[in-house]
Amino acid sequence: MNSRKFFAIGASTALLAFGVAACGSDDSDSTSGGSDLSGDIAGAGSSAQDAAQQAWIAGFQTDNSGVNIAYDPVGSGGGREAFIAGGKTDYAGTDSPFADEELTGAEDRCKKSGGEFVQIPVYISPIAVVYNLPEVENLQLSPDTLAGIFAQDITKWNDEKIAADNPDADLPDTDITPVNRSDDSGTTANFTDYLSATAPDVWTYPPDDAWPVKGGEAAEGTSGVVEAVGAGEGTIGYADESQAGDLGIASIKIGDEYVAPSAEGSTAAADEAKENKDGEYVYSFDIDRTTTNPDAYPLILISSAAACTAYDDSATADIVKGYLTYVISADGQQAAADNAGSAPISSDLQKQLQPAIDAIGS
Amino acid sequence: MEAATGPSVWGLRGGERRLGDRLFSGAAIASGIAILTVLAGVAIFLLIQAVPALSASTDELAEGKGLVEYIAPLAFGTVLAATLAVIIAVPLAVAVALFISHIAPRALAQPLGYIVDLLAAIPSIVYGLWGIFVLGPAAVGVMKWLEDNLGFLPFFQGPASVTGRTMFVVGIVLAVMILPIISAVAREVFSQAPRRQQEGALALGATRWEMIKMTVLPFGRSAVISGSMLGLGRALGETMAVVIILSGSGGITFNLIGSGNPPTIASNIASKFPESSGIEVNELILSGLVLFAITLLVNMGARSIISRSERHAAEGKKRA
Amino acid sequence: MKEDGEDLTETETPERIESPVDAPRASAAGSTSPATAEKPSADNRAKAIEVSGLSLFYGDFKAVEDVDMSIRPNKVTALIGSSGCGKTTFLRSINRMHELTPGARVEGHMTLDGADIYGPGVDPVEVRRQVGMVFQQPNPFPTMSIYENVAAGLKLNTRRIKKAQLDEVVERALRGANLWNEVKDRLNKPGSGLSGGQQQRLCIARATAVQPEVLLMDEPCSALDPVATLAVEDLIQELKKNFTIVIVTHNMQQASRASDYTAFFNLEKSGDPGRLVEMDETTAIFSNPTQKATEDYVSGRFG
Ligand SMILES: Nc1ncnc2c1ncn2[C@@H]1O[C@H](COP(=O)(O)OP(=O)(O)OP(=O)(O)O)[C@@H](O)[C@H]1O
Ligand SMILES: [Mg+2]
């Protein structure tokens, strides 16, 4: 399978060339930088992380003016393959963890430079259920109702199941148009995971990157979903909360309460998540979608960064280490929250992850 | 002529001419070979990359579907969208071309031609955005009307989309995108329609429109066909505008106004490729190969139509 | 049609010729004049044309100045004169074809049996249906068969026409153009597949099939060999029984052979507008013209 490799390498080479050119002008004042780190690294992967990565890169390069980092949002799958292939992709961003052959591939790649594979969560994003129904201000949905809507079993807004969740609302006799992502995406994977965990009787599809139900409204990317929901009345979709804009955001039923997405709730849900380790430094998390704690908002996406503990060039290892340290630091997480609307990872989680980063280059 | 004046005139410069000829034909042959090589290279790349998908088992493939089951709706969507676009664009393009070449006053014709040409310079992503922000929402009411009044036709059976991200809108946007190509080709040829014949028709007492029907349109027929095929080719391969606009969540259906439309091959590749890996990528490339084949077939079909009508015309001339 | 020969000789009597001059406005003058002794052909549609004070312009350039002319029905009027003196320009103004040239316009008057050709509200399409035209270069419609070429004008004028009737008109027009025998076995072959002379006669058939009242011909034989030229000239003699014919020619023999009247145009020097020098019976123009310029021109001493 080579085409992907060509593609990813081509893309990152182009970016690198650009980065090097930009670097030339940076070099002049490299002495005034706050550190003695210097060199280039490149990452590729999740487009969901893109805004956060840009914030991190900007923040990190301000403190380390000799460093140049390029992140290419080719998509999580592309990022994973480019990382496994090695070459110029020093780190990857991925919405779903490396698994099976990919995991072995990543381990092999790191082994070549005498290191181990590192995978840590860096980015938590609440997923909002967005809708367009001007008559209804605070839509409330239980998981079964939500699943019924997206499975296209519930087709009218004044369906009694929706009415049961919204006793005070004046629901119109409008058709429901459920909107999903047409491209494969981690957001879809997490949303379908949530539905199958919380409403297994209604939602019978397995969690997947690709939307499994035919015939709904499909739109490209988060912006496409937001646009489609905004365009027609009676629509409902799912999107990163930070992108929801003016759309109505539904509260989902957790335990006995209806909860709207929030940074605090998302951070709490991430803290509650069950930690899996596929290697000494390989973290992945099972989010407890069925939590009954109303302070946690379990409809979240946790996206990770992948790296190696050793690189052919120790300067690269130092930069990767410094960069990831910054990424999970309170400053880095705040920068991402400001720029990308993500929820910061808690300081507890940060402390737990730091040793994996410290292992890089040592 | 040249043969008659022959050696005495050209003899002196013979050597030069032969060198120039040789350079020219060498360059022509080289470019010909280069084009064929690139084309063959693309075909071979597609073939090699597609092979693993051919031998994969169904559950390894995307959506757990067989190859045919996966690609058939895509191929269908591709052909449907492109055909729709051509059906909408051709009469419009011919009308625009005629307006510019024969009807509009000269002061208006030139700027108008320039504006139509400009349409071709707009990037397709801009068309996509226009489709989704302007045309789609505007078409919602129209589609609802079509469903209510023409719902007995399979094309408008509904339920009509409330967002406007339908095959219907894609067809219109693609039509606008290919309109400049078709009308440019048509306009060029219409304006070369022999004046003598046009005057002949008018002298018979034909109105302007009758004159156009009798002389200009028959003269431009093969140009309109080849222009349409160029347009069809572009519509078949158009990617970004379709990705942005189309709600491609359905399978094979002639319903043009619903939410569940078949995606096109190109738009499906663009939206699935970034998150695909392994055998799924091979499958996407296989679908690309199918698109390549469809485009090739369309072009060959067009060639044969054009050459047939040219042979027709040539036969007429030979006898003259 | 069979008595056509008789008609021809009779129409050449002097009385018959003079009557329209005396009463230029008289509609279908020939049939009501003292010369009604002649049998008018059932298909005779010829009309008289009266031109007065006509000037023609291309933008600011005055190409033809102040023409007064009476064109008699059922006669052949030849327009002669040196190149660039405005014969084509004048001819095209008779069926308003000049309007196709951007910037071309007329001043003055022209009537067709009393009806103002340039009158307000007069549709040029209507004028052209009554005043047909044959061009210097044969211009059959290349995508149409011989049959369709002849029928083309009919389909415009009479929306719904029965096939049998159409067949009849096509045959009559082709016979009238002396082409029927040559093409009757290949009516469905393209018209562009004929020889140049045949194509020109096809164009004449096409123009006459719509039964115009006047037929304009701009150097119709210039692309033809002598044999084909004679065929067309014979045809013109046949056609004048039913139509008024105006023909532009550079061929003096043709003018003297084929026309009843000749109008001589001239221009003093290039850049000046062309003028009608004199018009008279063809025999008079060629034997004793009143103007020196005419004499020089017709005897080949011009320029
Ligand atoms: N389309 C045109 N635009 C401008 N001037 C024109 C146009 N056609 C003809 N003329 C000018 O009008 C004048 C008369 O031209 P016209 O064609 O009527 O001459 P003609 O008598 O038919 O000549 P020929 O015997 O060569 O055919 C000429 O000076 C010519 O240059
Ligand atoms: Mg002329």
Side-chain angles (χ1 to χ4, degrees):
Chain A
M1 197 15 267
N2 290 323
S3 63
R4 149 83 67 209
K5 193 160 69 188
F6 289 145
F7 187 79
I9 290 173
S12 49
T13 314
L15 272 177
L16 265 182
F18 180 75
V20 169
C23 184
S25 58
D26 279 351
D27 278 346
S28 55
D29 55 16
S30 63
T31 44
S32 68
S35 80
D36 45 7
L37 286 178
S38 117
D40 300 339
I41 63 167
S46 161
S47 51
Q49 281 188 32
D50 191 33
Q53 288 277 355
Q54 296 314 321
W56 292 326
I57 289 170
F60 188 68
Q61 287 182 170
T62 311
D63 293 339
N64 303 275
S65 56
V67 172
N68 220 309
I69 302 174
Y71 182 77
D72 185 0
V74 292
S76 298
R80 291 198 295 272
E81 283 201 21
F83 181 79
I84 292 166
K88 301 274 186 207
T89 306
D90 302 309
Y91 73 96
T94 175
D95 294 344
S96 27
F98 283 69
D100 310 327
E101 301 122 68
E102 282 180 341
L103 187 58
T104 336
E107 284 163 350
D108 288 348
R109 181 238 153 122
C110 292
K111 219 170 275 164
K112 275 187 207 133
S113 320
E116 282 176 72
F117 180 51
V118 179
Q119 174 179 276
I120 52 165
V122 292
Y123 176 84
I124 302 167
S125 173
I127 298 170
V129 173
V130 291
Y131 67 97
N132 182 350
L133 209 58
E135 299 94 330
V136 182
E137 221 159 276
N138 290 310
L139 185 66
Q140 309 186 129
L141 295 170
S142 64
D144 279 349
T145 314
L146 187 61
I149 289 171
F150 278 95
Q152 298 171 18
D153 296 335
I154 301 175
T155 58
K156 287 270 184 197
W157 278 108
N158 60 0
D159 189 282
E160 56 190 21
K161 295 203 185 87
I162 302 178
D165 286 337
N166 299 276
D168 303 330
D170 186 14
L171 294 164
D173 178 33
T174 312
D175 287 334
I176 300 180
T177 303
V179 182
N180 59 265
R181 291 280 290 267
S182 60
D183 50 336
D184 293 358
S185 105
T187 311
T188 301
N190 280 279
F191 186 59
T192 51
D193 185 43
Y194 172 81
L195 293 178
S196 64
T198 54
D201 299 334
V202 185
W203 187 263
T204 51
Y205 310 92
D208 193 359
D209 275 4
W211 186 254
V213 192
K214 286 280 167 201
E217 180 90 11
E220 174 80 6
T222 302
S223 54
V225 169
V226 169
E227 209 290 323
V229 171
E233 252 177 60
T235 47
I236 183 166
Y238 56 93
D240 287 358
E241 193 235 6
S242 57
Q243 305 298 313
D246 298 337
L247 298 175
I249 294 178
S251 300
I252 58 175
K253 193 171 191 180
I254 297 162
D256 295 327
E257 287 180 37
Y258 292 95
V259 179
S262 67
E264 299 75 36
S266 305
T267 305
D271 277 347
E272 277 187 7
K274 178 171 154 290
E275 173 191 307
N276 299 316
K277 285 180 93 173
D278 294 319
E280 192 179 353
Y281 307 120
V282 184
Y283 292 89
S284 64
F285 288 84
D286 281 344
I287 301 154
D288 181 12
R289 308 285 190 191
T290 55
T291 179
T292 52
N293 172 11
D295 293 332
Y297 182 82
L299 182 47
I300 55 171
L301 164 97
I302 298 184
S303 192
S304 307
C308 294
T309 56
Y311 291 87
D312 290 341
D313 174 2
S314 70
T316 305
D318 290 344
I319 298 172
V320 171
K321 180 181 181 176
Y323 181 59
L324 291 182
T325 305
Y326 169 72
V327 163
I328 65 166
S329 71
D331 280 356
Q333 288 294 305
Q334 192 54 47
D338 293 346
N339 258 284
S342 64
I345 59 178
S346 67
S347 55
D348 288 348
L349 187 54
Q350 181 209 343
K351 284 193 196 96
Q352 187 188 339
L353 298 172
Q354 191 60 44
I357 297 174
D358 291 341
I360 298 174
S362 56
Chain B
M1 277 287 280
E2 219 172 274
T5 41
S8 60
V9 173
W10 293 111
L12 289 173
R13 302 177 48 212
E16 250 172 80
R17 230 166 60 89
R18 245 172 276 137
L19 178 66
D21 274 358
R22 237 181 297 142
L23 280 179
F24 176 74
S25 69
I29 290 172
S31 348
I33 290 175
I35 288 170
L36 284 179
T37 314
V38 169
L39 199 68
V42 170
I44 290 168
F45 159 80
L46 287 174
L47 266 173
I48 292 176
Q49 292 293 333
V51 166
L54 290 172
S55 51
S57 71
T58 303
D59 40 279
E60 281 177 283
L61 295 170
E63 299 175 28
K65 283 180 182 167
L67 283 176
V68 174
E69 202 188 341
Y70 182 73
I71 295 178
L74 300 175
F76 176 84
T78 307
V79 174
L80 180 65
T83 309
L84 188 63
V86 168
I87 290 175
I88 298 171
V90 168
L92 226 62
V94 169
V96 168
L98 278 177
F99 184 73
I100 293 172
S101 70
H102 280 83
I103 296 172
R106 213 165 273 190
L108 188 66
Q110 223 170 12
L112 199 73
Y114 187 68
I115 289 169
V116 174
D117 288 348
L118 216 63
L119 286 179
I122 298 175
S124 64
I125 191 133
V126 175
Y127 278 110
L129 295 175
W130 173 69
I132 197 167
F133 286 115
V134 181
L135 189 65
V140 169
V142 177
M143 293 190 293
K144 184 79 196 138
W145 185 90
L146 288 171
E147 183 195 357
D148 293 345
N149 294 282
L150 296 171
F152 56 89
L153 294 172
F155 309 112
F156 306 123
Q157 72 195 28
S161 160
V162 295
T163 62
R165 311 160 64 90
T166 62
M167 194 57 93
F168 180 73
V169 171
V170 166
I172 296 174
V173 170
L174 290 180
V176 176
M177 294 176 66
I178 64 177
L179 183 103
I181 310 175
I182 306 178
S183 83
V185 174
R187 182 180 34 161
E188 206 47 50
V189 175
F190 287 165
S191 62
Q192 284 166 13
R195 210 182 147 76
R196 288 195 280 135
Q197 280 150 27
Q198 296 177 43
E199 291 197 339
L202 290 172
L204 279 180
T207 59
R208 184 149 48 179
W209 168 235
E210 286 167 336
M211 176 274 282
I212 286 170
K213 262 197 316 196
M214 285 163 76
T215 62
V216 180
L217 289 182
F219 180 79
R221 190 172 148 263
S222 68
V224 170
I225 295 174
S226 58
S228 308
M229 291 304 149
L230 280 178
L232 186 62
R234 173 158 190 208
L236 284 171
E238 175 48 40
T239 309
M240 279 328 290
V242 182
V243 168
I244 294 178
I245 299 169
L246 190 65
S247 164
S249 63
I252 294 177
T253 170
F254 278 105
N255 181 14
L256 303 176
I257 58 171
S259 289
N261 308 281
T264 69
I265 292 177
S267 73
N268 185 64
I269 293 176
S271 80
K272 300 291 184 194
F273 187 77
E275 297 291 331
S276 298
S277 54
I279 206 82
E280 287 174 13
V281 174
N282 301 88
E283 197 178 10
L284 289 177
I285 291 175
L286 178 67
S287 75
L289 187 64
V290 172
L291 177 59
F292 189 76
I294 293 175
T295 315
L296 218 61
L297 279 178
V298 164
N299 274 311
M300 273 155 45
R303 282 275 141 252
S304 82
I305 294 175
I306 293 165
S307 71
R308 204 179 315 149
S309 76
E310 268 167 5
R311 218 178 308 135
H312 231 75
E315 269 166 29
K317 258 179 234 142
K318 223 183 296 151
R319 251 172 281 144
Chain C
M1 280 282 232
K2 280 180 207 103
E3 313 90 335
D4 283 353
E6 279 166 62
D7 279 357
L8 186 64
T9 47
E10 276 176 14
T11 51
E12 272 168 357
T13 60
E15 301 90 0
R16 174 67 185 80
I17 290 162
E18 267 157 29
S19 59
V21 180
D22 297 335
R25 287 287 175 127
S27 162
S31 52
T32 53
S33 71
T36 39
E38 93 183 57
K39 259 178 276 161
S41 158
D43 290 329
N44 187 4
R45 309 170 52 81
K47 283 189 179 174
I49 298 168
E50 285 299 321
V51 183
S52 64
L54 191 81
S55 296
L56 292 145
F57 300 83
Y58 291 108
D60 294 333
F61 172 63
K62 194 187 232 181
V64 178
E65 187 173 65
D66 200 20
V67 174
D68 295 296
M69 191 188 283
S70 292
I71 296 171
R72 293 157 180 77
N74 293 104
K75 295 293 167 197
V76 179
T77 302
L79 308 181
I80 60 170
S82 57
S83 188
C85 65
K87 304 178 297 295
T88 298
T89 305
F90 174 72
L91 190 76
R92 286 166 66 90
S93 71
I94 301 177
N95 66 347
R96 295 180 66 168
M97 288 294 280
H98 70 281
E99 289 170 15
L100 303 181
T101 311
R105 66 198 161 82
V106 298
E107 277 171 14
H109 297 281
M110 191 181 297
T111 57
L112 185 64
D113 264 8
D116 189 354
I117 288 179
Y118 303 127
V122 173
D123 183 356
V125 169
E126 271 315 308
V127 173
R128 290 174 200 145
R129 283 181 184 176
Q130 295 171 43
V131 184
M133 189 163 201
V134 175
F135 297 80
Q136 185 168 357
Q137 296 284 332
N139 57 354
F141 302 128
T143 49
M144 295 184 191
S145 68
I146 292 170
Y147 183 98
E148 288 166 337
N149 260 286
V150 181
L154 284 160
K155 286 183 181 158
L156 301 175
N157 290 325
T158 336
R159 284 284 142 200
R160 251 177 239 122
I161 185 161
K162 286 200 200 80
K163 174 82 172 93
Q165 203 180 342
L166 198 61
D167 286 348
E168 190 191 314
V169 176
V170 168
E171 178 172 345
R172 184 145 39 98
L174 283 170
R175 279 189 194 284
N178 291 331
L179 191 60
W180 175 254
N181 288 328
E182 288 157 73
V183 301
K184 63 171 185 273
D185 298 324
R186 46 167 168 160
L187 288 174
N188 292 319
K189 293 281 156 55
S192 49
L194 297 171
S195 79
Q198 289 171 327
Q199 286 190 25
Q200 192 62 303
R201 278 178 284 148
L202 177 62
C203 292
I204 294 173
R206 183 178 72 185
T208 56
V210 297
Q211 297 278 303
E213 286 133 16
V214 178
L215 196 58
L216 309 176
M217 302 176 133
D218 192 353
E219 302 184 43
C221 302
S222 66
L224 307 184
D225 73 297
V227 177
T229 301
L230 279 179
V232 172
E233 283 176 18
D234 288 346
L235 174 56
I236 290 172
Q237 296 311 314
E238 295 283 314
L239 293 173
K240 75 174 180 182
K241 285 168 224 149
N242 299 328
F243 310 109
T244 303
I245 292 174
V246 183
I247 178 171
V248 172
T249 179
H250 279 289
N251 181 334
M252 293 305 114
Q253 281 114 29
Q254 181 167 65
S256 62
R257 275 195 308 261
S259 72
D260 304 306
Y261 288 87
T262 297
F264 172 58
F265 284 74
N266 201 9
L267 81 175
E268 304 281 278
K269 57 182 196 311
S270 81
D272 279 5
R275 286 195 178 77
L276 173 61
V277 177
E278 67 176 310
M279 177 178 179
D280 206 336
E281 284 177 38
T282 298
T283 45
I285 290 282
F286 280 90
S287 55
N288 56 346
T290 59
Q291 301 290 319
K292 173 91 169 54
T294 315
E295 189 178 351
D296 288 350
Y297 186 78
V298 298
S299 60
R301 276 173 285 142
F302 56 86

